[in-house]
Each structure stands twice: as C-alpha cells, then as structure tokens.
Amino acid sequence: METLNEANYIKWLLTDQMIDIVAAVSMGRDIISQFKENKLTTQQAMGRLRICNHSVILTLFKLHELRKKYGKFLSTLPSEETAGIFKDAADIENKKICKFRNSYAAHIFDRETMAPISMQKGEELLNSITGKDNDQCEAFYDWLYPLQWSIDKPCVVSSIERLRAYCRQLPGGELRRP
C-alpha cells in the first residue's frame, strides 16, 4: 500500500502538530514559572515566550490548513472523530490566529498596503490571542494542553490525539512516515 494515502499523511501531520504544541506550551509554562521565581528578567521572559507563542500560532495555522486541505476526506469520517478538530479550526479562525500568522508572524510587509507591518497592531493582535499577562497566557495554554492533561479533557491536543488515533486504525494509517 502506498504511504501517501490521506489517513497516513494526516496521522503524521497530527503527530508533528501535537509534539510541537506540547513542547511549546511546556516551555512557555516553564518560562512563566521561572519568571515568577525571579529567575528571569522581564526581557528574558518576554523574548522566550514570544518564541513559544509564535511556534504555537504557526502550528495552529497548520491545523487550520490541514482541516481545509483535507476537509473532503475528513468529512467522510465519523463526526465523533472529527468534531474536535472542526471546533478547534473554528476557534483558530475566531481567535484571529490565521490573521496573525498571515499578517505578522510570517511577513514584514502588509500585503494589502505593501507598507511595513505595524508592530503595534501585531502586538495587540498577539495579546488578544495569547493574553496580555501571564495568567491569561496560561489560560491560552490550558485551551491547548492543560496541566493535568488526559484524553478526556477537551483541548486542542485531545482533539488532535483522537483524530490521530482514528487515522492510525484506517487502512494505510499504520504505514511509515511519507
């Protein structure tokens, strides 16, 4: 069987996305903890959190993109297996994560005006996504991957894991990485 079937490809994309989200959120929480313990300066914590949060945003954009590009295939699967991913993709759009990625995280010029991007507007949009302070950022992280994670807790990682496990059971889903 060919390794490029949709179930196998989606399974591996979801594996990477889950690893990236868990790693970035775990690092972000460690940074916040170190900052609260006065082990990091504000500048050190801000820079490191920025990297973690940009990584999360890029990964969430990929999840949104996966839902769009593989929507036809996903719509053939049982709704109980895809409901979480579809809800998360809608949340990603509602939180304006795609707008941040398309306008600020991946570009230096505004595509519409062809002028340099507004750093202030980018920071405002990022704060509306991840929160304006560490407590709000931790709430954002809980939406992605709660501290006491289990597959039964609704969050982005649980949605990813459910669909990934289902794809693994489909014909071709057990194949090696393409």
Side-chain angles (χ1 to χ4, degrees):
M1 181 174 284
E2 188 174 327
T3 59
L4 292 179
N5 74 62
E6 291 176 312
N8 191 49
Y9 202 72
I10 290 170
K11 174 195 71 179
W12 285 109
L13 288 169
L14 292 172
T15 297
D16 289 348
Q17 291 168 4
M18 185 169 55
I19 290 167
D20 292 350
I21 289 172
V22 169
V25 167
S26 297
M27 285 187 269
R29 283 193 173 115
D30 288 345
I31 292 162
I32 291 170
S33 177
Q34 289 173 16
F35 176 72
K36 287 178 179 178
E37 295 168 5
N38 294 316
K39 294 179 180 176
L40 294 174
T41 65
T42 300
Q43 192 172 16
Q44 289 170 325
M46 284 176 57
R48 292 171 189 179
L49 281 175
R50 181 180 164 91
I51 290 170
C52 291
N53 293 338
H54 277 225
S55 175
V56 166
I57 285 169
L58 293 174
T59 301
L60 290 172
F61 183 84
K62 290 178 186 179
L63 187 63
H64 163 80
E65 191 174 35
L66 182 146
R67 203 259 326 140
K68 285 208 175 260
K69 299 291 183 186
Y70 289 98
K72 188 174 181 180
F73 174 76
L74 293 172
S75 68
T76 67
L77 303 179
S79 62
E80 61 271 9
E81 304 299 338
T82 59
I85 292 294
F86 285 130
K87 181 190 177 311
D88 293 339
D91 289 345
I92 289 165
E93 284 194 46
N94 291 337
K95 290 178 185 289
K96 298 189 173 145
I97 289 168
C98 298
K99 177 179 172 60
F100 182 82
R101 184 267 180 200
N102 289 336
S103 299
Y104 301 101
H107 302 286
I108 61 170
F109 277 87
D110 184 308
R111 288 189 202 174
E112 294 171 13
T113 66
M114 295 310 292
I117 61 169
S118 167
M119 298 293 190
Q120 182 179 358
K121 287 180 183 176
E123 184 177 351
E124 289 169 5
L125 184 54
L126 180 61
N127 287 342
S128 76
I129 295 166
T130 63
K132 294 178 183 176
D133 60 35
N134 289 337
D135 290 337
Q136 290 177 357
C137 188
E138 287 180 303
F140 174 67
Y141 291 163
D142 285 342
W143 170 66
L144 297 163
Y145 178 64
L147 270 172
Q148 303 301 320
W149 180 82
S150 78
I151 191 68
D152 298 322
K153 278 193 177 181
C155 69
V156 173
V157 169
S158 293
S159 299
I160 291 171
E161 176 52 26
R162 272 192 205 90
L163 183 56
R164 186 178 79 100
Y166 185 78
C167 285
R168 185 183 292 141
Q169 297 171 8
L170 294 173
E174 77 289 352
L175 296 170
R176 64 179 173 76
R177 184 181 281 273

